[in-house]
Amino acid sequence: MILSFPRRLALGLPVLCVRPARAAPASVRFKVVREGREAGFHRVTVVQDGASLRAVAEIEIVVRLLSFTVFRYRVDAEEVWRDGRLFSVQSQSEKQGRANRFVAQADAGGIAWEGTAGRGRLPPDAAPLTWWREASMRQTLFDPATGVPLPAPPLRAAAGAGVRWSVTADPGGEASYAAADGAWISFSTKGEDGSAIVYQPG
């Protein structure tokens, strides 16, 4: 039995346009529900410290069949933003016993990264696809596990009193946000085995 969970759940520089100022994104905690059964959690703790915004993300997914653990996924990550710019990302993850490391740092020319997948550079407006920050969906998104930019930008649509962003690149996902302050409201996706995964408040 093959079970998996999207890598992009684990975590730019500003778009050059004028937007009304928003409060810092709120901290969130979701229950991860797979095929109707609770399988773990995803929480993001956001702290504003002067001009710096620090977001610490924790994800833990455990899928059991009878008394056996058949899938385990864990992420511990931190993003630091300063004056609206991505300053750094650090991430450690483990999926089915395989560890992955990713570190990125902004510099004068863009964003340099290195990790288990290698090393490289990203453009100044790059942002990790970590879902908690709605403003990032308007930037050049990259996979925070590999440093690879998404092949296509996300799609935006109205969703009641908010907005919905959909990423069609594998493994993809869909998240909704409040229109007023960009607060992260919901998320859904599919595992590589086709299982339905949804986030619920919790």
Side-chain angles (χ1 to χ4, degrees), residues 19-180:
R19 300 181 188 276
R22 279 185 172 183
S27 299
V28 292
R29 180 183 173 106
F30 295 106
K31 294 185 293 187
V32 177
V33 178
R34 176 187 176 275
E35 294 293 327
R37 294 186 176 183
E38 186 173 348
F41 65 86
H42 185 159
R43 59 177 172 243
V44 183
T45 303
V46 182
V47 178
Q48 183 80 54
D49 182 13
S52 295
L53 185 71
R54 178 172 171 262
V56 176
E58 299 173 85
I59 307 169
E60 186 169 74
I61 312 295
V62 178
V63 178
R64 294 184 174 89
L65 183 62
L66 299 177
S67 59
F68 299 97
T69 297
V70 295
F71 179 77
R72 186 181 296 273
Y73 178 70
R74 173 78 191 185
V75 176
D76 292 283
E78 178 183 279
E79 297 175 40
V80 177
W81 296 74
R82 292 182 179 172
D83 297 320
R85 301 181 59 191
L86 178 67
F87 181 73
S88 65
V89 179
Q90 298 183 58
S91 176
Q92 297 279 349
S93 63
E94 185 175 329
K95 179 180 175 182
Q96 293 294 75
R98 298 184 63 180
N100 187 77
R101 179 182 67 89
F102 183 87
V103 177
Q105 182 76 48
D107 57 30
I111 300 172
W113 68 267
E114 64 176 57
T116 304
R119 63 179 60 192
R121 292 191 62 81
L122 292 158
D125 73 329
L129 180 61
T130 45
W131 299 101
W132 66 274
R133 184 176 181 269
E134 193 263 340
S136 293
M137 307 304 284
R138 299 176 176 85
Q139 300 175 218
T140 301
L141 293 170
F142 66 90
D143 185 335
T146 65
V148 176
L150 270 61
L155 304 175
R156 184 182 185 277
V163 61
R164 180 174 65 247
W165 288 94
S166 302
V167 173
T168 57
D170 183 53
E174 183 175 281
S176 61
Y177 305 87

Side-chain angles (χ1 to χ4, degrees), residues 176-192:
S176 61
Y177 305 87
D181 57 6
W184 189 13
I185 298 171
S186 68
F187 178 78
S188 62
T189 188
K190 286 188 177 295
E192 292 174 13

